[in-house]
């Protein structure tokens, strides 16, 4: 049985939009793109490729997949994150694509929750879900995510798409790890212990 871990990069006020570059996601008139870039080096120095060895697959929403597929296949395998992502299975939740150029990629078709549960039941290790905010919110509400790994950067953006929204009922979390970087980012890992699916 695989464990589904949602890995998310956030501001203190929960914004996840436009982390990497200015033009990454301008939807809704968002003008703060690239806000995560100043903290990236300190994150990599602190955690390195932690967790990549246990990752047997990746899960993406379509937009996040397309962004990742434009970058990671062109990175050398001397980069441990590239080596992991390029070799592992990649599952994509999409209704608009069924052909994928990135090796080992395939679509989760039909009911998303059922498809993700079937994916988790087939294999061992960790399925890492990166970004994919709409998908993360829906799977969290359905009780399908096992763990959250939150990289929280020390700034308030005041606007933009936020990770968390209405869940229907509370969700209990157990803190399993806490790290910090010299620039003030914190990395919090929570297991989801009870709540939404019960």
């Amino acid at each position: 049985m695989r464990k589904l871990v949602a890995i998310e990069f956030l501001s203190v006020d929960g914004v996840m939009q436009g982390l990497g570059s200015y033009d990454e996601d301008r939807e809704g008139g968002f003008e703060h793109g690239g806000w995560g870039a100043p903290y990236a080096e300190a994150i990599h120095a602190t955690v390195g490729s932690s967790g990549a060895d246990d990752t047997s697959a990746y899960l993406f929403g379509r937009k996040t997949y397309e962004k990742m597929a434009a970058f990671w296949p062109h990175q050398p395998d001397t980069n441990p994150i590239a080596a992991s992502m390029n070799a592992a299975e990649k599952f994509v939740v999409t209704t608009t694509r069924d052909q994928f150029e990135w090796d080992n990629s395939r679509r989760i078709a039909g009911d998303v929750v059922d498809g993700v549960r079937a994916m988790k039941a087939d294999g061992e290790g960790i399925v890492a879900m990166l970004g994919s905010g709409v998908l993360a919110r829906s799977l969290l509400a359905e009780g399908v995510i096992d763990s959250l790994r939150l990289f929280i950067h020390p700034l308030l953006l005041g606007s933009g798409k936020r990770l968390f929204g209405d869940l229907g009922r509370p969700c209990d979390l157990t803190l399993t790890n806490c790290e910090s970087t010299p620039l003030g980012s914190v990395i919090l890992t929570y297991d989801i212990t009870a709540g939404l699916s019960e």
Side-chain angles (χ1 to χ4, degrees), residues 18-176:
L19 171 79
S21 64
Y22 181 73
D23 288 322
E24 179 180 324
D25 182 355
R26 303 288 304 281
E27 194 172 306
F30 188 70
E31 296 182 354
H32 308 299
W35 57 268
Y39 307 101
E41 187 174 336
I43 288 281
H44 291 304
T46 301
V47 301
S49 58
S50 175
D53 290 343
D54 295 331
T55 301
S56 63
Y58 291 87
L59 175 65
F60 303 103
R62 179 187 56 81
K63 289 181 183 178
T64 302
Y65 173 84
E66 290 175 350
K67 177 183 167 232
M68 296 289 188
F71 179 77
W72 287 109
H74 311 292
Q75 304 309 304
D77 280 350
T78 52
N79 178 322
I81 297 173
S84 172
M85 294 187 75
N86 289 329
E89 292 181 283
K90 290 164 283 288
F91 295 89
V92 188
V93 174
T94 176
T95 59
T96 60
R97 293 186 60 165
D98 55 16
Q99 299 290 321
F100 305 99
E101 297 77 28
W102 197 3
D103 289 345
N104 305 316
S105 298
R106 65 178 183 237
R107 185 175 79 161
I108 290 183
D111 183 84
V112 172
V113 173
D114 288 345
V116 171
R117 285 188 173 130
M119 175 200 64
K120 287 175 61 179
D122 182 22
E124 300 292 332
I126 289 172
V127 178
M129 179 170 59
L130 305 175
S132 306
V134 172
L135 178 61
R137 281 188 292 277
S138 66
L139 294 180
L140 188 60
E142 293 292 335
V144 182
I145 296 174
D146 301 294
S147 182
L148 299 171
R149 193 167 195 211
L150 307 178
F151 293 76
I152 302 174
H153 297 315
L155 77 165
L156 299 168
L157 288 170
S159 65
K161 299 173 190 172
R162 287 167 169 78
L163 175 60
F164 299 110
D166 292 340
L167 292 175
R169 56 178 157 169
C171 181
D172 294 333
L173 307 176
T174 298
L175 182 67
T176 59

